[in-house]
Amino acid sequence: MTQYLDFEKPLAEIEGKAEELRAVARANEEMDIADEAAALDAKAAQLLVDIYANLTPWRKCQVARHPNRPHCRDYIDELFTEYTPLAGDRNFADDLAVMGGLARFNDQPVVVIGHEKGHDTKSRIDHNFGMARPEGYRKAIRLMEMAGRFGLPVITLVDTAGAYPGKGAEERGQSEAIARSTEMCLKIGVPLISVIIGEGGSGGAVAFATANRVAMLEHSVYSVISPEGCASILWKDSEKMREAAEALRLTAQDLIQLGVADRVISEPLGGAHRDIPATYLSVKNAISSMLEELSKQDSAALIKDRRQKFLDLGSKGLAN
């Protein structure tokens, strides 16, 4: 069943009426409502185009958080073969908010790492809604070290509101773990590709996205803080999230202009959840292209390219 966002309510009404007509027709075969249903379908299709023609930053945040949007586990199952998960940070525990391991992408051995939010209440609680604890980042560090040792490209799939801010996480060195993960991203001499598949929140995202190439799905967002968090700090009112989303310049289109992102991956009309197979294909093609480009560089060039990319951040924004 399609789950509609707040701003999609007019669309929900039209599509609901079309489905009601079809249900009546199925119950009474003598009724011919094909023309009426087709007219409603056409109206809904045009409305969908109109709604998504110029989404505000806040609405893009809502699309990025859509519950039916494919998550890290979905992409791994669909795009990678021979996935072998590796667990634990060899120090404290295994953090289920971060998943990763060895796999093949287009038959090429790689290491894949990502945030997993979960799809239902139980899995979301198990995965802590994709908010990693220190052991999650230390697991990622371990996997990146292994990738560097064996010359395996690293692909990260980012989808988190931010690192977990709980007391236990802070006691176990949350900020240090994020910093070490970011440092490891800069150090490894293999291609590192990051795809923002939903939310890229704060240092929790940067720890996986300090990459040679950062791609963002069309309706994904990437920011130093969530709009709600920003509004609470600046306006002392979380209901100001719409204004905060505008000010943060967190959309893929904004971040391309600022030089933070390198590529925007098109989504199906209405968001990734409306045509998931098409979304998988677009992401696969983008990763393939970036991997092919980076595979031509040696370790020293990859490290230099990555460091320079982040040293240059802000120059485009200042120029504009």
Side-chain angles (χ1 to χ4, degrees), residues 8-317:
E8 295 177 321
K9 285 181 179 178
L11 180 65
E13 292 176 5
I14 296 172
E15 292 186 340
K17 288 177 182 177
E19 184 54 39
E20 286 176 11
L21 280 176
R22 292 190 177 91
V24 170
R26 286 193 294 269
N28 187 348
E29 296 181 359
E30 295 181 0
M31 292 186 66
D32 183 9
I33 50 83
D35 291 342
E36 292 87 341
L40 287 173
D41 288 340
K43 187 176 180 181
Q46 184 57 52
L47 183 57
L48 186 64
V49 171
D50 295 341
I51 289 173
Y52 278 82
N54 191 26
L55 288 180
T56 65
W58 173 243
R59 287 183 174 181
K60 281 186 176 284
C61 289
Q62 293 176 280
V63 178
R65 297 169 176 172
H66 196 285
N68 296 138
R69 195 174 179 87
H71 293 166
C72 177
R73 178 84 230 191
D74 303 316
Y75 284 101
I76 290 176
D77 288 344
E78 183 66 27
L79 304 185
F80 298 84
T81 57
E82 298 182 33
Y83 173 63
T84 303
L86 300 176
D89 66 346
R90 300 296 187 266
N91 183 40
F92 181 78
D94 183 37
D95 183 3
L96 296 182
V98 175
M99 60 185 302
L102 297 164
R104 287 183 178 272
F105 179 80
N106 288 340
D107 208 34
Q108 178 180 358
V110 298
V111 168
V112 58
I113 305 168
H115 301 96
E116 174 56 41
K117 285 184 171 181
H119 280 288
D120 53 28
T121 301
K122 182 181 185 306
S123 63
R124 286 170 187 155
I125 292 171
D126 289 343
H127 292 286
N128 201 34
F129 299 87
M131 295 186 293
R133 298 176 171 89
E135 45 272 23
Y137 294 108
R138 291 177 178 133
K139 172 166 66 174
I141 292 168
R142 184 169 73 84
L143 296 181
M144 285 189 275
E145 283 179 336
M146 181 184 67
R149 190 179 309 124
F150 293 103
L152 304 176
V154 177
I155 299 168
T156 65
L157 304 171
V158 176
D159 189 14
T160 181
Y164 184 61
K167 181 173 180 287
E170 295 296 336
E171 288 173 342
R172 295 193 298 278
Q174 181 71 291
S175 59
E176 184 268 347
I178 291 171
R180 295 290 184 190
S181 182
T182 306
E183 179 188 36
M184 182 56 63
C185 286
L186 289 168
K187 285 170 57 175
I188 55 174
V190 296
L192 176 53
I193 293 167
S194 181
V195 181
I196 314 294
I197 58 175
E199 287 184 275
S202 191
V206 173
F208 287 3
T210 309
N212 292 98
R213 298 292 180 269
V214 177
M216 295 182 65
L217 280 168
E218 182 181 356
H219 301 309
S220 64
V221 294
Y222 187 23
S223 175
V224 69
I225 192 171
S226 69
E228 296 92 336
C230 178
S232 295
I233 293 170
L234 295 185
W235 288 282
K236 311 299 182 187
D237 181 3
S238 62
E239 291 302 311
K240 294 279 189 179
M241 67 276 192
R242 293 169 183 81
E243 292 87 340
E246 292 277 354
L248 285 168
R249 298 190 67 182
L250 43 61
T251 69
Q253 295 73 24
D254 283 333
L255 295 173
I256 282 286
Q257 292 181 3
L258 293 170
V260 175
D262 303 294
R263 176 188 294 248
V264 175
I265 303 172
S266 297
E267 294 188 30
L269 181 62
H273 57 282
R274 278 194 169 256
D275 191 344
I276 291 176
T279 301
Y280 290 148
L281 182 59
S282 295
V283 172
K284 181 178 182 179
N285 290 340
I287 294 175
S288 297
S289 175
M290 291 184 286
L291 198 54
E292 182 180 1
E293 175 195 353
L294 294 172
S295 64
K296 299 172 184 176
Q297 301 183 33
D298 62 21
S299 294
L302 287 166
I303 294 170
K304 182 179 178 181
D305 169 83
R306 198 179 305 134
R307 287 176 177 269
Q308 194 60 48
K309 171 184 171 62
F310 286 89
L311 287 171
D312 290 343
L313 285 183
S315 59
K316 288 189 178 182

